[in-house]
């Protein structure tokens, strides 16, 4: 039996049009999943934590195990606290060692650091935790220009080398007032002296202009006014989590801070 063939010259035009539409839909059905996958990058599995002034990497001690329990690889940077350039370089070393995309997290002064270091192409997203978020060409002095100086500023101790520390009672009353007294004393004892010149160091290009951003706002913060935090979070178009916490929400409310970081890692 001879095979039946169709002479398309005698096929009605409407039928040929329907065939073309079906073929087009078939092609699109193959392409759409590819485009969707390309637009949705896989979750980041690496987290780099950047501490602030008057602190060290141990300030993330309660958040780290929560993130690791979710399968994330976590590194807490030990900032020299000597300049924005030096601290950004320390963060960059940790970013470069990560095997894949990174969520970069900064607390307090660490917000300026991640604004600078976050331009690294491996950084997927940024999380500010009760942190400063300077814009292009801004320093912490610029961010706070025109605001009344906080109570704690008048009691800062400055050594001969220009490094600042907080008295233990100030840590207990204004830095970590929602922590047990023993924990506040530990923070005071382990704090990293912060070079005063850091206040004038300017961010070159703020990474938050080009990266997804989350912000954990501490509503009982005495170090950075909650109103200033809210203003900065709005300016950088961040997804905000508000916690009733002192300046160290990662120690007094670690679950909420970890949850914000997990959201940044997943992209949700």
């Amino acid at each position: 039996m001879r095979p039946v063939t169709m002479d398309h010259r005698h096929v009605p035009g409407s039928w040929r049009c329907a065939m073309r539409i079906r073929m087009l839909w078939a092609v699109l059905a193959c392409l759409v999943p590819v485009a969707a996958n390309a637009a949705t990058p896989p979750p980041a599995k690496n987290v780099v934590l950047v501490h602030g002034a008057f602190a060290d990497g141990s300030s993330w001690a309660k958040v780290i195990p929560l993130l690791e329990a979710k399968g994330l690889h976590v590194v807490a940077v030990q900032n020299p606290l000597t300049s924005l350039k030096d601290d950004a370089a320390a963060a960059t070393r940790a970013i470069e060692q990560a095997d894949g995309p990174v969520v970069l997290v900064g607390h307090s002064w660490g917000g300026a650091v991640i604004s600078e270091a976050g331009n690294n192409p491996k950084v997927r997203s940024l999380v500010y935790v009760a942190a400063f978020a300077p814009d292009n060409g801004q320093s912490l002095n610029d961010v706070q220009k025109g605001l009344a100086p906080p109570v704690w500023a008048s009691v800062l101790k400055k050594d001969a080398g220009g490094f600042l520390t907080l008295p233990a009672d100030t840590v207990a009353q204004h830095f970590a007032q929602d922590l047990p007294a023993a924990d506040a004393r530990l923070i005071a004892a382990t704090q990293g002296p912060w070079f005063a010149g850091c206040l004038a160091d300017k961010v070159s290009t703020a990474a938050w202009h080009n990266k997804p951003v989350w912000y954990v706002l501490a509503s009982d913060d005495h170090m950075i006014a909650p109103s200033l935090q809210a203003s900065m979070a709005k300016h950088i178009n961040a997804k905000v989590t508000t916690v009733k916490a002192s300046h160290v929400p990662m120690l007094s409310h670690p679950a909420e801070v970890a949850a914000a970081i997990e959201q940044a890692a997943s992209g949700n």
Side-chain angles (χ1 to χ4, degrees):
M1 181 181 293
R2 298 178 64 182
V4 178
T5 60
M6 182 177 292
D7 187 347
H8 290 277
R9 292 173 298 177
H10 301 292
V11 175
S14 60
W15 196 86
R16 289 200 303 272
C17 181
M19 286 182 63
R20 292 192 183 104
I21 291 173
R22 288 179 183 177
M23 291 176 63
L24 177 61
W25 277 114
V27 172
L28 289 175
C30 294
L31 293 178
V32 168
V34 174
N37 290 336
T40 308
K45 292 295 185 181
N46 300 284
V47 178
V48 173
L49 304 170
V50 180
H51 66 80
F54 318 120
D56 70 359
S58 67
S59 60
W60 300 104
K62 293 184 179 180
V63 170
I64 291 171
L66 299 178
L67 296 176
E68 290 180 337
K70 297 294 184 177
L72 296 168
H73 177 260
V74 187
V75 173
V77 177
Q78 295 290 357
N79 289 333
L81 299 177
T82 48
S83 70
L84 177 58
K85 179 180 179 180
D86 292 345
D87 287 7
T92 298
R93 287 192 293 272
I95 294 166
E96 291 296 339
Q97 291 174 4
D99 182 16
V102 169
V103 176
L104 187 59
V105 185
H107 170 241
S108 190
W109 154 251
V113 178
I114 70 171
S115 296
E116 186 76 22
N119 292 294
N120 188 291
K122 291 180 75 172
V123 174
R124 170 77 56 77
S125 54
L126 304 166
V127 182
Y128 292 77
V129 179
F132 289 104
D135 206 335
N136 300 340
Q138 277 193 326
S139 67
L140 266 57
N141 284 337
D142 296 326
V143 172
Q144 301 175 97
K145 187 176 181 180
L147 300 178
V151 175
W152 55 267
S154 63
V155 298
L156 280 171
K157 296 179 179 179
K158 187 175 184 179
D159 67 15
F163 284 83
L164 306 172
T165 55
L166 285 172
D169 60 345
T170 303
V171 172
Q173 295 171 20
H174 298 292
F175 194 85
Q177 71 271 17
D178 57 351
L179 292 183
D183 291 352
R185 287 195 297 270
L186 184 60
I187 290 173
T190 59
Q191 70 176 290
W194 185 43
F195 185 60
C198 292
L199 285 160
D201 287 347
K202 297 180 182 292
V203 170
S204 56
T205 302
W208 51 259
H209 282 287
N210 303 303
K211 307 285 173 86
V213 186
W214 280 254
Y215 197 106
V216 178
L217 193 159
S219 63
D220 289 345
D221 197 332
H222 294 180
M223 302 297 291
I224 304 176
S227 58
L228 177 57
Q229 292 184 43
S231 175
M232 290 186 292
K234 181 179 180 180
H235 182 63
I236 66 177
N237 195 29
K239 297 179 181 180
V240 179
T241 296
T242 301
V243 293
K244 187 174 176 58
S246 68
H247 189 54
V248 287
M250 63 282 193
L251 289 170
S252 61
H253 292 74
E256 290 92 328
V257 174
I261 297 171
E262 290 163 25
Q263 289 172 13
S266 66
N268 296 325

